[in-house]
Amino acid sequence: METPTSRSIPAEDALDSESPSRTSPPAIETKDLCLSYDEAPALRDVSLSVPERQVTALIGPSGCGKSTLLRCFNRMNDLIPGVRVTGQCRVGGQDILGDGVDVIGLRKQVGMVFQRSNPFPMSIRANMAYGLKLQGLRNRVEQDRIVEESLRAAALWDEVKDRLDRNALELSGGQQQRLCIARAIAIRPRILLMDEPASALDPITTMRIEELILELRRDYTIVIVTHNMQQAARISDRTAFLYLGEVVEFDRTSRIFTHPRDQRTEDYVTGRFG
Amino acid sequence: MRPIGESRRLGRWGGPAGIVGLILTGLATLVLLAFLVALLTTVLSKGMPAFSWRFVSTIPRKDFFDVDSAAILPMVVGTSLRVLIMTVFVMPFGVITAVYLTEYADPASPFTRGIRAAIGNIAGVPSIVFGLFGLGFFVNFLGRGLDGLTGSGVPVFGRPSLLWASLTLAVMTLPVVIVATEESLRSIPSGLREASLALGATKLETVWTIVLPQALPGILTGGILAVGRAAGEVAPILFTGAAYYTAELPGRLTDQFMDLGYHVYVLATQSPNVDQTAPILYATALALLVLTLALNAGAILLRSRMRRNLREAV
Amino acid sequence: MGLRRGHRARPGEWIIEKLIQAVGLSTIGLMVLILVFVGREALPVLMGRINTALVQPILPSKEIDSIPRDDLRSYLELSRSQFEGMDREMLMAMMEAREEGFRDIPESFRADPDSTVNTADWRQLLLPRQWTGYTRPEFVWQPVGTIHKYNLVPLLVGSLKVTLVGLLFAVPLSLGAALYVSQLAPVRVREWVKPTIELLAGIPSVVLGVFCLLVLSGLLQSLFGYQFRLNALVAGIGLGLTAVPLIFTIAEDSFTGVPRGYVQASLALGASPWQAAWQVVLPSAMPGVVAAMILGFGRCLGETMVVLMASGNASMLSWSLFDSTRSMTATIAAEMAEAVSGGGHYRMLFLLGTLLFAISFVTHLIGGRIVRRLRRRLGGVA
Ligand SMILES: Nc1ncnc2c1ncn2[C@@H]1O[C@H](COP(=O)(O)OP(=O)(O)OP(=O)(O)O)[C@@H](O)[C@H]1O
Ligand SMILES: [Mg+2]
C-alpha cells in the first residue's frame, strides 16, 4: 500500500550537486512501463529516469525483472515471442517503444554487455571491427585506430595488442568479457547496459572491470545489473531496488545503502531478505 | 527374502535372466556385424580382381557384359553429375528453409507446423514414388510444357534426362539437408545472435555474418549425407533419366546418362550368364560402395568433430 | 504467421525475408505437388472413368439420330469441344469405324466373357474373378497379353509379407543391439560398434540387392531346402538390413536419452545392469522405440531395389514365406518401362504409387500421434 513506486525522479535530484544531469535531459526515462511474457507480468508500472554520465545500478532478488527492464532499453525483448509492453520509455528524449522506431539505430546508441561473455568465434580484430563494419566503416586505418582506442578504453590493449588476429575464444574469461565491453564501446554508443558483467569472474578480474566502469563513467551513461551489494555501493551513483517487477525505491546510492525509506529495501541491502 | 549367498553368486549380472539378456543382446549385435562383414568382404573379395584403373577410366563397348572390355567411366560420370546437379538445387533450398524455420518462423504458427509435417512426410515417401513424381511432374508436365513453349517438334525436355533425374533427387534429399542444417543452426548459442543484434546488426546481417558461418560444418554434413544417400539410389532415376546404354558421356542437361547403381542392377538381373559376368558386377558394386561409404564416413566424421567442438565451446 | 520474431527489417531486407519465408512455405507446396502429380495420373482409375475392356459395346451407326447426344459423345470418347466441332457426317464415320473394328476382333475373342470385362473397375482390382482357363476365382495381377488383369491384392499381400519379414528380422536385432550398445557394452566396444552398424545406412540398396540375390539366396536355400531360390524370406531379410540402421539409430538415441539418474537410481536399489536396462530404460524409451518401428515399417514397405532383385517377382497370391513374391514398389519399377504413357497399365502403376504415398502419409500421421501420446504419458522422457 505504501509503495512509493510510481514517483519519478526523486526530489533530491535537484539538490544533487555532483550530477551533470541538472541541465541535460535524462538519458533514459520510463513512465508506467509494464511488460508481460505471455500474459505473465514481469514489470509493473516502472517509472524512473536514468541521469546522463552516471552509473545507475539495478538491484533486487533473482527473477524480479532487472534483466527484463535492462533489455527494454535497447528493445532486446523484441526477440522473445509473446512479449507485450505498455507505457513509455524514452532514450535521449525520443520514444523507443513505438512501431516506427528505428530499432537498429537505437541499438547503435545503446550498447549492451551480457552476463555470459559472448565474443564471436573470430579473431579479436574481427570482433572489434564487427560493429564498425555494420556502420559502414570500411577504411582499415580508421578501423584499426578505433579498435586500439576502444581496447585501450577497456584496459585490454596491452594484453592483446600482439595477437589481434588470434581467435577471441583463446582469451581468458575476464579478457573475453573486457573484449565484449570494448566491442560494445567501439561503436560509440551513448549508453552502456551491463547485465551482471562480472558475475562469472574472479575477484581480481571483477575489480578490473569495476575500475573500467568508473573510467567509462566519464563518457558513457551506464546502467548495470548486479547481485553484489558492495559492487553497487562502490561503483554506482544511483541505485534502483526492484521487487516483483516493481521499482520499490530509486535514489542516490549512498541513501539506498544508508537510509532506505522502504523496509524491503533495507532488508535486501542488509542481507536480511527472506 | 533372497539369501545373501545367492545374490553374490549370481554376481553383477543379476541372475540367469540378466545373463540370458546380456547374451541375447550381444548376439543381436554380433549378427548385425556379421551381416555387415559378410557383405563387405563378399563385394571386396569378388570385386577386387576385376577392379583396375582401366575399368574405371574407359568407356565400354555397347556389349558391356563382355568381361574383358567392361568398364564404368560413363556410369561414374553419370552418377557424379547427377548428384552434383542435385546439390546445386537442394542446398540453397534446404538451407534457406532451415534458416526460415530456426531464425524466423514462429514455432507455434500453423504454417510452421505445416512445414515440419511436410518435411517429415517427404522424408517418409518411398523412393520409387519420387520416380513417379519425377516422371509425372518434371518429364511429362514441365518437360512437355517447355517443349510446347519452344515449339520444337522433337521432344527435348519432354523426356528423361540428367536435369530431371537430378531435380527428382533434389526433392527426395531435401529433408536430409533441412534436418542437418537445422540441427547445426540450433546448436549455435543464442548469445552470439544477441551480441550481434545488440551491436546494431539487423536480423539478416546477423544470420549472414554470424549464424551461417558458424553453421557451415553442419550444412556441409547435411550436403554430404544427401549426396551419399542420392548416389546409391536407383529407384527415383529409373524413369527420370537413367539409360541402359548411351554411346557417349552426357554433355548436356537434357541428355540421358548411365548410372552406377542402375548398372549394378542391369548386370545383376539381365546378364546372359550371371556366373561369367559376376566379376564385373562385383567390381561395379565395389565402385558404388566405395563412393557412398566414403561420403557417409566423411559426414559422420565431420559431424562428430563438430559436436565435439561444440561441447568444448560451451 | 510470419517474421515477428526479431525486429522490423529495413525495406531491402524485408523483401529478402519475405523470399526466405516463401522458400520455407514452398515445402508445403512441394508436398502437395507430389500428391497431385502422382495422384493425377491415377485419378481416372479412382473415378471409374477408364474402361479397359477389349471388346467395347457397340452402338449401331444406323441409330445415330435416336441416341442422346451426351451418350454419343462419351461413346466416341470425345471432349465437349471436339464433339461440338463435328458434323453428323464425321460422327457417323467414327461410329462406322468402331463397328468395323469390332468386326475385326476374332470370333474366339468375342466369345470369351473376359473380353467385355473392364479390368480397371474396382471390382476387378479388389475381388477375385474366375478368368477363362482358371478353375476357380483368383486374384490376378497380369498386365500382359490381350487382357490385362490388374488385381491389386497379390501386390498388397506381397508388400505386406516382405515388410513383415523385414520387421521381424530387423526389430529384435536392432533393439537388442541398441540395448546392448547403449546400456550393457563396455565403453570401448560401444565406441566402435555404434558407427559400424550405422555404416549399414551408407550401403546402397542395390548393393544389398546383389548380396541377397547372389549370396544370401543360395545360402538360405541350402539351409531350408525350399523350392524357389528367390522368395519373400530372402527379400524380407534384405529389407530388414536396409531398415536396421534406421531402427538402431533411433532406438539407441532414445535409450541413451533416458536420464542417467533413472539407471543409477535403480542400480542403487540393487538392480543389475540388465534389470535396469530391461525394467527402466526400455519402458521409458518407449516413444523412441515405437517411432523406430513405425519408421522401419515405412522404410520396408517403400524399399524398391532389394525386393525387385531378391523376391522372385511372381505376382501370385500366397502367404507362404518360401514362395516367390512381388511387392507394389517392385511392380512399379519393373513394369513402368513397358507401360504406354497414359494407358491403363500406366495409370494402374500410378495408382500403386498413390497407394504407397497414402500409406506413408498415414504411417507418418499415426506414428506421430502414438509417439506424442506415449511421450505425454511418460512425462517427456526420450
Ligand atoms: N523469455 C522469457 N519468457 C518468459 N518469462 C520470462 C522470460 N525471461 C524472463 N522471464 C520471467 O520474467 C521474470 C523476470 O525475469 P528477469 O530475467 O528479468 O529476472 P532478473 O531480475 O534478471 O533475475 P536474475 O537476477 O536471476 O537474472 C521472471 O519471473 C522470469 O521467469
Ligand atoms: Mg537477469
Side-chain angles (χ1 to χ4, degrees):
Chain A
M1 331 155 234
E2 71 268 276
T3 14
T5 39
S6 323
R7 208 188 309 143
S8 228
I9 322 171
E12 288 92 332
D13 194 49
L15 307 171
D16 192 343
S17 55
E18 64 194 31
S19 164
S21 70
R22 227 173 354 154
T23 44
S24 52
I28 304 172
E29 188 174 22
T30 70
K31 200 153 181 304
D32 302 329
L33 186 68
C34 299
L35 183 146
S36 58
Y37 293 107
D38 287 323
E39 311 305 318
L43 293 178
R44 300 165 214 252
D45 294 324
V46 171
S47 302
L48 46 76
S49 64
V50 175
E52 262 204 340
R53 288 172 210 264
Q54 289 197 11
V55 177
T56 303
L58 303 179
I59 61 171
S62 183
C64 67
K66 304 179 296 290
S67 300
T68 304
L69 179 59
L70 201 67
R71 291 162 63 93
C72 282
F73 299 153
N74 64 348
R75 286 194 48 178
M76 285 301 271
N77 285 324
D78 288 18
L79 304 180
I80 302 163
V83 169
R84 272 197 50 225
V85 190
T86 58
Q88 277 185 19
C89 182
R90 297 175 172 279
V91 169
Q94 304 254 306
D95 176 50
I96 61 159
L97 293 180
D99 263 348
V101 173
D102 175 14
V103 179
I104 306 302
L106 170 71
R107 289 186 186 148
K108 285 174 181 166
Q109 298 210 356
V110 185
M112 187 160 201
V113 177
F114 297 81
Q115 177 173 2
R116 284 184 74 159
S117 67
N118 49 7
F120 301 126
M122 326 166 171
S123 71
I124 296 171
R125 192 194 304 277
N127 261 284
M128 293 300 297
Y130 185 80
L132 300 176
K133 284 184 189 153
L134 290 175
Q135 308 244 20
L137 180 71
R138 299 261 162 238
N139 182 341
R140 274 299 289 263
V141 181
E142 186 70 358
Q143 272 183 20
D144 285 347
R145 192 183 62 72
I146 299 178
V147 166
E148 177 174 346
E149 206 176 289
S150 314
L151 283 170
R152 277 190 195 284
L156 191 59
W157 174 251
D158 292 328
E159 289 158 70
V160 301
K161 62 173 185 261
D162 300 322
R163 46 170 173 163
L164 286 176
D165 291 307
R166 301 291 295 272
N167 195 313
L169 295 178
E170 292 170 11
L171 297 175
S172 76
Q175 287 172 327
Q176 288 188 9
Q177 191 60 302
R178 275 179 285 154
L179 176 67
C180 290
I181 296 175
R183 185 176 66 183
I185 59 182
I187 59 171
R188 299 278 169 270
R190 305 227 319 269
I191 300 168
L192 208 51
L193 309 175
M194 300 180 153
D195 195 345
E196 304 182 43
S199 68
L201 304 175
D202 66 284
I204 298 197
T205 322
T206 303
M207 229 172 64
R208 299 203 60 166
I209 296 218
E210 284 180 14
E211 281 163 14
L212 174 58
I213 291 170
L214 290 174
E215 278 292 302
L216 294 172
R217 178 178 176 273
R218 274 184 294 149
D219 301 316
Y220 300 94
T221 305
I222 294 174
V223 185
I224 179 169
V225 171
T226 177
H227 275 288
N228 183 331
M229 291 307 115
Q230 286 81 31
Q231 186 172 68
R234 277 195 300 267
I235 60 174
S236 69
D237 303 289
R238 270 156 207 282
T239 298
F241 172 61
L242 275 79
Y243 182 59
L244 294 178
E246 295 181 18
V247 176
V248 173
E249 200 165 340
F250 178 42
D251 211 328
R252 275 166 36 210
T253 300
S254 50
R255 268 201 86 90
I256 291 271
F257 282 92
T258 52
H259 306 292
R261 268 172 303 172
D262 194 283
Q263 186 60 40
R264 290 168 296 178
T265 315
E266 184 171 348
D267 287 349
Y268 186 73
V269 297
T270 52
R272 256 179 291 148
F273 206 80
Chain B
M1 266 211 38
R2 222 203 275 156
I4 289 179
E6 188 190 3
S7 70
R8 190 176 305 151
R9 183 156 38 84
L10 294 174
R12 56 201 188 99
W13 294 114
I19 292 175
V20 169
L22 185 72
I23 290 177
L24 282 183
T25 52
L27 219 58
T29 315
L30 273 183
V31 168
L32 291 183
L33 291 177
F35 267 105
L36 186 67
V37 170
L39 193 146
L40 292 180
T41 48
T42 307
V43 174
L44 203 64
S45 64
K46 296 193 181 179
M48 271 326 268
F51 203 82
S52 66
W53 175 243
R54 187 202 59 77
F55 184 68
V56 286
S57 67
T58 46
I59 301 180
R61 287 188 288 115
K62 188 166 169 73
D63 175 23
F64 48 64
F65 290 112
D66 177 43
V67 178
D68 299 319
S69 67
I72 54 167
L73 179 66
M75 300 81 177
V76 173
V77 171
T79 302
S80 310
L81 278 178
R82 76 172 160 87
V83 292
L84 207 75
I85 299 167
M86 172 201 85
T87 314
V88 172
F89 288 106
V90 74
M91 289 312 286
F93 206 94
V95 170
I96 291 175
T97 305
V99 164
Y100 175 69
L101 283 175
T102 46
E103 307 293 322
Y104 289 101
D106 170 4
S109 120
F111 287 96
T112 314
R113 274 185 278 141
I115 294 175
R116 291 196 183 285
I119 294 168
N121 270 313
I122 294 177
V125 169
S127 53
I128 189 77
V129 176
F130 285 108
L132 291 179
F133 169 67
L135 177 63
F137 180 65
F138 291 126
V139 179
N140 286 351
F141 182 75
L142 272 190
R144 287 188 191 161
L146 277 176
D147 280 342
L149 282 183
T150 54
S152 79
V154 286
V156 177
F157 293 103
R159 59 195 187 101
S161 68
L162 193 53
L163 177 65
W164 299 143
S166 307
L167 278 170
T168 306
L169 290 169
V171 174
M172 188 187 79
T173 50
L174 188 62
V176 180
V177 176
I178 295 178
V179 169
T181 308
E182 250 204 280
E183 190 197 354
S184 69
L185 289 176
R186 282 192 197 292
S187 69
I188 297 169
S190 60
L192 291 185
R193 296 184 179 86
E194 290 188 342
S196 168
L197 291 169
L199 284 169
T202 64
K203 187 141 192 166
L204 197 65
E205 283 165 342
T206 304
V207 168
W208 185 250
T209 54
I210 303 291
V211 176
L212 279 182
Q214 285 298 298
L216 211 56
I219 295 172
L220 215 60
T221 312
I224 299 175
L225 279 177
V227 167
R229 163 95 196 275
E233 280 284 350
V234 179
I237 59 164
L238 279 176
F239 331 128
T240 52
Y244 181 81
Y245 175 77
T246 57
E248 284 164 31
L249 297 179
R252 273 160 303 169
L253 283 177
T254 53
D255 285 346
Q256 279 192 283
F257 59 97
M258 293 174 85
D259 178 77
L260 261 183
Y262 181 53
H263 195 63
V264 169
Y265 169 67
V266 169
L267 289 172
T269 56
Q270 295 172 29
S271 163
N273 182 343
V274 177
D275 290 331
Q276 203 185 331
T277 55
I280 51 173
L281 164 61
Y282 280 112
T284 313
L286 180 61
L288 182 60
L289 202 57
V290 167
L291 187 72
T292 52
L293 285 187
L295 286 167
N296 276 283
I300 290 172
L301 255 153
L302 198 65
R303 180 151 54 181
S304 70
R305 171 166 315 167
M306 188 178 77
R307 285 190 179 145
R308 186 147 13 97
N309 284 349
L310 204 75
R311 232 174 292 133
E312 278 160 14
V314 174
Chain C
M1 103 184 182
L3 306 169
R4 272 180 291 110
R5 261 168 75 197
H7 49 256
R8 289 158 46 95
R10 298 184 167 178
E13 298 193 351
W14 185 86
I15 296 173
I16 299 179
E17 294 190 342
K18 279 290 165 201
L19 281 177
I20 292 177
Q21 184 181 23
V23 170
L25 284 174
S26 65
T27 325
I28 300 179
L30 196 60
M31 170 81 194
V32 174
L33 214 61
I34 295 175
L35 176 63
V36 165
F37 273 88
V38 176
R40 193 177 76 136
E41 308 279 359
L43 205 61
V45 182
L46 288 170
M47 307 273 288
R49 284 238 206 81
I50 186 169
N51 190 346
T52 60
L54 188 63
V55 178
Q56 305 276 350
I58 289 298
L59 298 177
S61 56
K62 291 188 284 294
E63 294 168 20
I64 185 165
D65 298 316
S66 63
I67 301 169
R69 289 181 64 81
D70 271 347
D71 290 357
L72 187 62
R73 188 174 66 81
S74 61
Y75 169 66
L76 292 174
E77 293 169 13
L78 293 173
S79 73
R80 202 168 291 276
S81 59
Q82 281 173 321
F83 186 71
E84 299 301 339
M86 291 186 174
D87 56 14
R88 190 172 175 283
E89 292 302 83
M90 286 169 78
L91 294 172
M92 191 78 174
M94 287 179 74
M95 290 182 77
E96 281 164 0
R98 281 287 281 268
E99 284 170 319
E100 197 91 7
F102 180 73
R103 273 194 298 276
D104 287 345
I105 298 175
E107 186 61 36
S108 58
F109 275 144
R110 262 183 284 168
D112 184 347
D114 290 356
S115 63
T116 53
V117 173
N118 176 8
T119 55
D121 185 61
W122 68 267
R123 269 173 242 105
Q124 308 309 330
L125 298 187
L126 298 175
L127 303 177
R129 178 186 161 84
Q130 182 164 0
W131 300 95
T132 313
Y134 284 70
T135 55
R136 56 195 169 88
E138 276 188 50
F139 301 91
V140 184
W141 171 276
Q142 202 182 72
V144 287
T146 38
I147 296 170
H148 288 194
K149 295 155 193 145
Y150 297 125
N151 199 294
L152 302 178
V153 176
L155 308 183
L156 282 168
V157 169
S159 272
L160 278 181
K161 197 164 66 166
V162 288
T163 300
L164 286 182
V165 177
L167 286 180
L168 282 178
F169 173 83
V171 168
L173 285 181
S174 313
L175 292 188
L179 207 55
Y180 178 75
V181 167
S182 69
Q183 304 297 322
L184 306 170
V187 179
R188 294 237 318 282
V189 175
R190 177 198 156 91
E191 259 172 9
W192 66 265
V193 168
K194 185 170 144 67
T196 311
I197 293 182
E198 282 173 348
L199 209 61
L200 264 172
I203 295 178
S205 59
V206 62
V207 175
L208 269 172
V210 169
F211 180 71
C212 294
L213 177 70
L214 298 183
V215 182
L216 203 60
S217 59
L219 209 73
L220 290 173
Q221 194 178 27
S222 55
L223 212 66
F224 292 101
Y226 45 67
Q227 183 190 357
F228 300 102
R229 196 172 62 92
L230 299 179
N231 55 36
L233 181 70
V234 182
I237 292 180
L239 279 187
L241 285 176
T242 64
V244 161
L246 184 75
I247 302 178
F248 173 83
T249 307
I250 300 176
E252 209 271 343
D253 279 352
S254 47
F255 291 155
T256 315
V258 173
R260 241 9 245 171
Y262 286 25
V263 180
Q264 270 150 10
S266 97
L267 291 178
L269 290 171
S272 66
W274 168 254
Q275 281 168 328
W278 184 252
Q279 292 166 1
V280 177
V281 174
L282 194 64
S284 37
M286 220 48 203
V289 171
V290 172
M293 294 201 284
I294 292 171
L295 287 177
F297 173 82
R299 183 66 177 272
C300 285
L301 198 81
E303 173 54 49
T304 307
M305 297 316 285
V306 171
V307 201
L308 183 61
M309 295 169 81
S311 69
N313 284 324
S315 61
M316 52 188 168
L317 180 69
S318 145
W319 281 103
S320 163
L321 296 186
F322 301 138
D323 278 339
S324 209
T325 303
R326 161 171 280 205
S327 75
M328 298 195 278
T329 51
T331 305
I332 300 175
E335 294 177 4
M336 186 52 91
E338 63 220 34
V340 181
S341 183
H345 189 192
Y346 176 86
R347 297 204 184 286
M348 218 48 80
L349 296 179
F350 272 88
L351 180 67
L352 288 178
T354 313
L355 220 55
L356 283 168
F357 183 91
I359 296 174
S360 76
F361 186 87
V362 172
T363 316
H364 184 258
L365 209 70
I366 296 178
R369 277 275 154 79
I370 295 178
V371 169
R372 237 171 290 138
R373 182 167 314 157
L374 278 173
R375 194 164 289 172
R376 210 173 312 132
R377 220 177 55 207
L378 294 170
V381 184

